Amino acid sequence: MTENIDKQAQNIVKLLRSVKMKISSAESCTGGLVSAAITSVSGSSEVFDFGICSYSNQIKHRILGVPEEHLKNFGAVSEQVAKAMAEGAMRISDSDFAVSTTGIAGPGGGTSDKPVGTVWIGICSRQNGATAHCFKFDASDCPEKLTKREYIRKQSVLKALELLEKEILNAL
């Protein structure tokens, strides 16, 4: 899985460098792993504007501008919050694209409505605005070398990078 993450990050950096565009990130459940994947690529300083680890609802609201009503009415793990996080990252950056992650990596914190493995990924571009996608990652087939939490987080990073690449290609 790490090889796939590295490949996706390399594709994104190469693509953004070729069109002289930038990206930013706002991460919760992935705790900066999307930013780390992108910035591990040589040349990423030309395309990566900033990343914020907005783990708390207070930071989601105060820094990214996620409406308190969204957090109260839908919860941090929701379409509305994922979109608002990506929009907030775009608003406070000089980037052309933004990605956000918010979810339940476990092992605790899940509910019947939002079980462990529920992750919302927000994608925002200056051209197309924000969208959010929900995933239910199943850690039952987790490789032995990873904890279920690590597996869900890595799956989230890979999916975020895949969605980001699609959005960049769609916006060109």
Side-chain angles (χ1 to χ4, degrees):
M1 182 179 335
T2 301
E3 294 158 2
N4 292 339
I5 290 171
D6 293 344
K7 185 177 181 342
Q8 277 301 135
Q10 289 168 5
N11 290 346
I12 288 168
V13 170
K14 181 179 179 182
L15 185 57
L16 288 172
R17 285 179 75 188
S18 72
V19 294
K20 296 182 175 29
M21 293 181 148
K22 292 188 174 192
I23 175 124
S24 59
S25 69
E27 301 178 63
S28 186
C29 66
T30 52
L33 293 175
V34 173
S35 299
I38 294 169
T39 59
S40 71
V41 178
S42 179
S44 60
S45 60
E46 295 175 38
V47 301
F48 190 77
D49 196 40
F50 88 97
I52 182 169
C53 182
S54 54
Y55 220 65
S56 75
N57 286 349
Q58 180 183 16
I59 295 300
K60 286 176 181 73
H61 171 68
R62 196 171 68 213
I63 304 296
L64 294 172
V66 174
E68 285 184 340
E69 301 81 43
H70 287 359
L71 293 163
K72 288 177 187 170
N73 295 334
F74 307 108
V77 180
S78 64
E79 175 183 16
Q80 295 81 357
V81 170
K83 286 171 68 173
M85 288 172 66
E87 290 167 338
M90 288 280 296
R91 187 181 59 258
I92 60 177
S93 72
D94 189 31
S95 62
D96 303 285
F97 302 93
V99 59
S100 68
T101 59
T102 183
I104 305 163
T111 65
S112 58
D113 290 343
K114 297 177 187 177
V116 169
T118 304
V119 177
W120 279 92
I121 298 172
I123 301 290
C124 190
S125 71
R126 297 225 180 263
Q127 181 178 355
N128 297 324
T131 60
H133 311 269
C134 185
F135 298 91
K136 306 276 184 173
F137 296 113
D138 180 7
S140 63
D141 58 347
C142 173
E144 285 185 26
K145 63 182 180 176
L146 294 176
T147 66
K148 290 180 178 185
R149 180 178 178 82
E150 290 170 323
Y151 182 75
I152 290 167
R153 287 167 39 121
K154 285 184 182 275
Q155 288 283 47
S156 301
V157 171
L158 181 58
K159 190 52 75 174
L161 294 173
E162 289 171 353
L163 290 170
L164 182 56
E165 183 178 26
K166 284 180 187 175
E167 181 61 31
I168 294 166
L169 290 170
N170 286 338
L172 300 181

